[in-house]
Amino acid sequence: MLERIFIFLFLPSVLAAQLCKPDAPEGFKVRLSIKTALQDEAYEWDGNERFLFQATLAFAMGRHTGQEFNVSNILVCDETPRVSFWFVVTSPDDPSQLINRGKVEAAVRMSRNRINSAFLLSDETLEFVGILPTLAAPVEPASPPWLIVFGVVMGLVGAGIVFLLVSTVLQKRRKKNQEGDEGDDDEEARVKTAENGCRSDGIYNTSFSEDEPNTQM
Amino acid sequence: MAKDARDNWENPMQFVLACVSYAVGLGNVWRFPYLCQMHGGGGFLIPYLLMLVLEGVPLFYLELAIGQKMRLGSIGAWTAISPYLGGLGLASVVTSLYLCLYYNIINAWSFWYLFHSFQSVLPWAACPLNANRTGPSEECERATPTQYFFYRETLNISPSIEENGGIHTGQALCFLLAWVITYLFIVRGVKSTGKVVYFTATFPYVVLFIYLIRGFTLHGAINGIKYMFTPKMEELANPTTWINAATQIFFSLGLGFGSLIAFASYNQYHNNFERQAIIVSLINSGTSIFSSVVTFAIYGFKATVNYENCLERTRILLLNTFSLSEDSITIDNVFERIVELNTTHPEQFAELNGKLEDCNLESELSTAVEGTGLAFIVYSEAIKNMPLSQLWSVLYFIMLLMLGMGSMLGNITAIITPLRDFKVLSCISTEVFNGKKKCIVCFICLLLGLGFTTTSGNYWFTMFNDYGATFSLLFIVLIEVITVSYIYGIKRFERDIEDMLGHRPNWYWKIMWAGVSPLLLIGLFLFYIINYIQGGTPTYQAWNKDLGKSEQIEYPLFGQAFIGLLLASSVSCVPLTALYVFCQRRKHAQRHMQQHTVNTVAA
């Protein structure tokens, strides 16, 4: 009778010791960096925190599989001062059966956010060794921002060039009008040598141009 | 009406600022700090300042004097000095052309980085994710995010110069913008350039000053400054130190391109360029020293951040391996704990051996970088760690732009001024034709320069940067100083200067021009030749995307042939033109003699 009571009392923990161990095939190592994440507001890792962990894992498993998991289905072992430990998940129907590693991984992935926020940690400070976090999709704006700035600058520069060209044309027109008025007065008196090529002002008086070096035969 | 009078600077200040803007360029920021670090920190200032006095200022003075006296661009000026040496000006123009082709690509990169700074997270701060979003992309993992941004996203670089790809459209757009702005700056000649240089010459100093203050308040900056200023006097015994000092002064002042002659040709005849030459040279060297203080503060900051990150990673590794509580190891006692753990848990420690990094502040500081690597990779890495990084990034890249644009102005003016004086024949009004000439030159350089925006473009850029100008400039300036001292004659030169300034140059200048500078230049020239011959096949740094770092590869045959072409094309202008002029004169003399005989016979 007494033996039966003993076995009945110690069976779960014995089973737990056998099922949960470091490098368990269906288990995961978890590592928390509470002091790094929270510095002054860091909490101590104790039994209550462990209980919270078991509860959140049970929640995650339940959410993923649809079955109802109990806190006792999450077995935690090999805790270290680092705050790292191993855990395995047993099936609610049969406490000696472990849940497949893949399922656990999927469940954790699905509720990763909720698990993180329960502990005020993030993907980097609450590590599930072996489960890579799905990184947030990079925010891609509709049009690359650099193109917008480029467009603005290019537009300004283009406007500058147009302004310069227009002002050059206006200046030339103003000059031509001025010279046109002056040119009417002394057109006959002006003589131009062919120094500047074909300038259209004034009349080119050939009698004053240089003779050919060799006279035509 | 007579020919249109030569444009002038509105006031001498514009001329000084133009020279400062041209001389103070990217080399002051990215080459001098590297040399300083390589050659013993503060001790490098001794050969540097000595070379400034022996060759920098005298040669600068010489070029300004020629430009102001002849009032022509480089081709016209040298033809006036001696008709056989018009080739010297032509060589300057060819070298300036090569420089113009590749220099604006740096401005294109500055624009690219500048435009990308307007984002909430700087794109070079973090690695982009790989395809399945499980982690950063592999190339970025092996290298650093800043290197990845530069080599992959900015350049999209190919593994070697032989493999070519398409043009990077973003790059090409920025390149187009750079050329459009350059054209805008020079379109009205000295009138527009004169106004622009007020800004391009002064703004970099504002940014450098702001960065100096920011740099000194950065965590760990003092490590860099201490490292720089502890002089290693034994470096002075190394001849490379002196040679590098001489070449740095030489190239930093921008001698031999013809830009200084072009700028000075727009001066009033009696402008006091002697004082201006000294001022500009001193400003140039002062800026180099100033910017290296800033750079070393930034180095110190970056090295300290990397070192502390390394320590942190080691600490986490130790915590995880030995499952110790988090506050048992802090950053300060990492090394002691390593020793402790080695003795207490030797087997576990042995497993760590491969993963344990060697964190060393000295080695972080001694990774000296120069060139585009410093400007675009090291600096952006430092900037991303600063708070308000977007602001610092924008400031920094605008400064790079100002420096680059200022130098571009000088380079382009060096091409356009001689072209303008060379042919005054036109049936259209000279002003419009000049405008068209500038447009044509810019357009041609733009089209040819698009080659640098392809995937192998950076390798071609490096080739042009290393070989396009260095050797030819030494040759050009050597011939320049020998021409002025011996062919034109120091006495005549003295009289010209007296005509312009009102007093003769004192004995110091004459000794430098006639003796010291030519000897120095001959020495440098010989050193370069010996280096080329002894150096074997020229190599370049190619980016290996699998390893995530650069490695040295030899240039292929066509690359080496191109290098030879670059060197030969500018240097050969001098003898070829001399030969051409000689043949022309002989033909002329013969024809003249024939005409004479005909006339006497006919009469």
Side-chain angles (χ1 to χ4, degrees):
Chain A
M1 182 62 187
L2 212 63
E3 292 147 10
R4 277 222 196 123
I5 297 173
F6 275 143
I7 292 172
F8 188 67
L9 277 178
F10 290 126
L11 192 60
S13 48
V14 165
L15 269 176
Q18 284 174 336
L19 293 169
C20 175
K21 49 185 191 285
D23 299 319
E26 310 283 357
F28 283 97
K29 182 166 180 175
V30 181
R31 205 182 281 143
L32 287 93
S33 310
I34 309 173
K35 295 209 178 67
T36 314
L38 303 170
Q39 281 127 27
D40 291 329
E41 324 236 319
Y43 46 81
E44 279 302 318
W45 183 261
D46 55 11
N48 291 323
E49 306 288 342
R50 188 188 321 117
F51 184 80
L52 179 59
F53 180 79
Q54 289 172 305
T56 32
L57 250 302
F59 155 76
M61 291 302 303
R63 201 161 161 240
H64 176 67
T65 57
Q67 283 181 294
E68 209 181 284
F69 279 79
N70 209 340
V71 170
S72 52
N73 292 121
I74 316 289
L75 306 171
V76 173
C77 55
D78 194 39
E79 282 181 41
T80 67
R82 172 73 177 82
V83 192
S84 70
F85 48 82
W86 284 82
F87 77 92
V88 290
V89 184
T90 59
S91 161
D93 311 312
D94 181 8
S96 55
Q97 271 287 26
L98 291 180
I99 299 282
N100 198 331
R101 193 188 159 93
K103 270 205 189 128
V104 178
E105 180 170 340
V108 166
R109 263 231 165 90
M110 192 171 133
S111 311
R112 188 63 186 265
N113 224 4
R114 305 291 295 271
I115 305 176
N116 285 349
S117 15
F119 288 94
L120 307 173
L121 297 173
S122 67
D123 278 344
E124 286 93 45
T125 37
L126 173 52
E127 282 176 79
F128 284 83
V129 178
I131 304 182
L132 299 168
T134 314
L135 301 162
V139 177
E140 284 197 32
S143 51
W146 77 269
L147 213 49
I148 300 174
V149 187
F150 169 79
V152 168
V153 175
M154 196 54 138
L156 286 172
V157 168
I161 292 189
V162 167
F163 168 73
L164 270 175
L165 286 176
V166 166
S167 67
T168 320
V169 169
L170 283 177
Q171 257 188 6
K172 263 202 311 196
R173 227 178 266 163
R174 227 179 290 147
K175 247 197 225 166
K176 252 198 203 150
N177 288 341
Q178 271 184 353
E179 279 177 12
D181 298 329
E182 292 170 26
D184 289 332
D185 299 333
D186 42 21
E187 214 179 67
E188 288 115 15
R190 196 183 294 179
V191 163
K192 277 186 167 282
T193 47
E195 192 188 348
N196 263 356
C198 3
R199 272 288 197 98
S200 47
D201 310 80
I203 304 173
Y204 182 69
N205 194 337
T206 49
S207 59
F208 285 94
S209 66
E210 273 194 323
D211 281 333
E212 297 284 299
N214 304 316
T215 44
Q216 305 283 0
M217 293 297 231
Chain B
M1 287 304 295
K3 268 191 255 196
D4 52 348
R6 195 177 184 78
D7 273 339
N8 281 325
W9 300 103
E10 275 172 33
N11 54 53
M13 185 58 145
Q14 283 189 356
F15 169 65
V16 172
L17 286 179
C19 288
V20 166
S21 180
Y22 166 67
V24 173
L26 295 166
N28 299 66
V29 169
W30 75 30
R31 174 92 177 140
F32 183 78
Y34 168 77
L35 288 178
C36 219
Q37 184 167 26
M38 285 278 98
H39 296 294
F44 184 68
L45 291 178
I46 297 177
Y48 185 71
L49 292 173
L50 196 62
M51 289 299 167
L52 176 68
V53 165
L54 289 182
E55 63 162 334
V57 187
L59 292 174
F60 198 81
Y61 185 121
L62 187 102
E63 291 216 355
L64 290 189
I66 292 172
Q68 191 165 309
K69 169 78 188 162
M70 303 298 168
R71 303 179 64 84
L72 289 172
S74 52
I75 300 183
W78 291 107
T79 316
I81 288 188
S82 157
Y84 293 105
L85 286 174
L88 205 53
L90 194 60
S92 291
V93 169
V94 169
T95 315
S96 289
L97 184 68
Y98 291 153
L99 195 77
C100 280
L101 279 180
Y102 80 80
Y103 203 78
N104 236 352
I105 202 76
I106 306 174
N107 291 331
W109 295 337
S110 302
F111 271 123
W112 173 266
Y113 271 80
L114 176 66
F115 295 152
H116 277 86
S117 310
F118 290 98
Q119 288 177 13
S120 52
V121 174
L122 291 176
W124 54 86
C127 280
L129 302 175
N130 59 18
N132 0 356
R133 283 164 49 184
T134 51
S137 85
E138 297 87 24
E139 190 180 348
C140 195
E141 270 280 280
R142 290 178 219 122
T144 62
T146 38
Q147 282 181 316
Y148 177 81
F149 184 74
F150 184 62
Y151 287 112
R152 188 53 47 214
E153 302 205 11
T154 310
L155 300 175
N156 196 16
I157 207 164
S158 64
S160 78
I161 200 171
E162 292 142 12
E163 297 163 47
N164 214 336
I167 292 183
H168 186 297
T169 18
Q171 277 285 286
L173 285 176
C174 292
F175 190 60
L176 173 69
L177 179 64
W179 270 113
V180 168
I181 293 188
T182 309
Y183 175 66
L184 196 66
F185 286 169
I186 57 162
V187 71
R188 287 283 184 80
V190 205
K191 291 203 226 11
S192 55
T193 310
K195 296 200 181 47
V196 166
V197 293
Y198 280 119
F199 190 62
T200 60
T202 51
F203 189 72
Y205 289 99
V206 173
V207 177
L208 274 175
F209 188 68
I210 296 176
Y211 256 89
L212 185 73
I213 300 182
R214 173 76 264 217
F216 276 154
T217 55
L218 282 174
H219 166 63
I222 202 73
N223 294 331
I225 305 267
K226 259 195 298 193
Y227 189 77
M228 171 186 166
F229 278 112
T230 21
K232 299 187 196 69
M233 285 303 183
E234 57 272 11
E235 282 287 337
L236 288 182
N238 185 359
T240 324
T241 309
W242 295 87
I243 290 171
N244 277 340
T247 43
Q248 174 59 16
I249 283 281
F250 184 80
F251 294 129
S252 179
L253 287 173
L255 305 164
F257 282 108
S259 315
L260 295 170
I261 298 182
F263 279 155
S265 69
Y266 296 110
N267 272 342
Q268 303 287 353
Y269 191 67
H270 294 289
N271 177 45
N272 184 0
F273 63 90
E274 178 170 339
R275 210 175 41 181
Q276 291 168 342
I278 300 176
I279 291 177
V280 174
S281 313
L282 286 177
I283 290 181
N284 182 48
S285 298
T287 311
S288 292
I289 300 175
F290 182 37
S291 73
S292 61
V293 173
V294 176
T295 305
F296 274 92
I298 303 277
Y299 265 159
F301 167 67
K302 171 183 111 52
T304 311
V305 164
N306 283 350
Y307 173 66
E308 288 181 355
N309 284 346
C310 180
L311 282 181
E312 178 70 18
R313 284 193 301 269
T314 312
R315 171 178 162 265
I316 302 243
L317 183 64
L318 288 175
L319 283 180
N320 290 350
T321 320
F322 294 98
S323 293
L324 306 161
S325 132
E326 277 177 283
D327 42 8
S328 60
I329 308 185
T330 63
I331 286 194
D332 304 314
N333 57 14
V334 171
F335 291 120
E336 290 127 24
R337 294 290 270 159
I338 289 181
V339 176
E340 247 181 73
L341 289 166
N342 201 357
T343 42
T344 48
H345 300 83
E347 300 108 27
Q348 268 186 304
F349 200 82
E351 289 169 29
L352 269 186
N353 239 346
K355 296 184 243 166
L356 206 57
E357 289 176 65
D358 190 18
C359 300
N360 189 340
L361 185 60
E362 273 279 318
S363 67
E364 289 281 346
L365 280 173
S366 64
T367 49
V369 192
E370 62 160 336
T372 51
L374 170 61
F376 293 104
I377 299 180
V378 171
Y379 257 95
S380 25
E381 198 170 309
I383 288 174
K384 79 169 195 225
N385 288 322
M386 296 184 199
L388 274 187
S389 40
Q390 289 85 353
L391 169 70
W392 298 107
S393 179
V394 168
L395 269 182
Y396 172 69
F397 287 110
I398 292 187
M399 177 187 81
L400 280 192
L401 269 174
M402 292 297 117
L403 291 172
M405 281 298 179
S407 303
M408 261 318 271
L409 284 178
N411 293 326
I412 269 274
T413 312
I415 300 180
I416 290 191
T417 310
L419 279 186
R420 175 200 144 125
D421 306 322
F422 208 38
K423 298 173 177 128
V424 193
L425 47 90
S426 59
C427 276
I428 326 162
S429 142
T430 35
E431 199 179 296
V432 173
F433 191 54
N434 270 335
K436 281 220 177 78
K437 252 190 280 205
K438 290 177 191 143
C439 192
I440 292 173
V441 169
C442 288
F443 190 66
I444 293 180
C445 288
L446 170 69
L447 283 185
L448 290 176
L450 276 179
F452 294 111
T453 58
T454 58
T455 53
S456 56
N458 191 42
Y459 301 129
W460 289 100
F461 166 82
T462 316
M463 184 198 285
F464 268 77
N465 196 21
D466 291 339
Y467 300 103
T470 45
F471 187 74
S472 352
L473 284 181
L474 277 175
F475 179 72
I476 291 173
V477 178
L478 178 61
I479 305 283
E480 274 186 13
V481 81
I482 291 180
T483 306
V484 169
S485 305
Y486 299 106
I487 301 181
Y488 189 68
I490 281 274
K491 295 258 185 279
R492 253 167 93 187
F493 194 54
E494 254 189 315
R495 274 202 298 270
D496 289 335
I497 294 181
E498 196 184 12
D499 199 27
M500 287 192 281
L501 291 182
H503 65 266
R504 292 187 169 222
N506 68 32
W507 54 269
Y508 158 73
W509 301 110
K510 288 187 276 193
I511 292 181
M512 293 301 141
W513 290 327
V516 179
S517 301
L519 283 174
L520 260 176
L521 286 173
I522 291 177
L524 281 180
F525 193 66
L526 284 176
F527 167 76
Y528 259 80
I529 296 183
I530 296 176
N531 224 20
Y532 274 148
I533 299 175
Q534 273 190 338
T537 342
T539 58
Y540 66 103
Q541 298 277 41
W543 177 254
N544 185 331
K545 65 190 280 204
D546 303 312
L547 292 178
K549 53 190 189 151
S550 311
E551 44 185 28
Q552 275 205 321
I553 307 187
E554 283 185 357
Y555 276 114
L557 214 54
F558 71 85
Q560 294 174 37
F562 199 78
I563 292 176
L565 188 67
L566 277 179
L567 295 174
S569 55
S570 44
V571 164
S572 60
C573 284
V574 181
L576 286 180
T577 316
L579 202 63
Y580 174 75
V581 168
F582 181 65
C583 291
Q584 286 286 72
R585 285 207 152 176
R586 258 223 312 216
K587 244 194 284 180
H588 236 276
Q590 278 181 345
R591 211 191 297 156
H592 215 52
M593 276 206 306
Q594 279 180 346
Q595 282 180 349
H596 262 284
T597 47
V598 167
N599 285 344
T600 46
V601 164

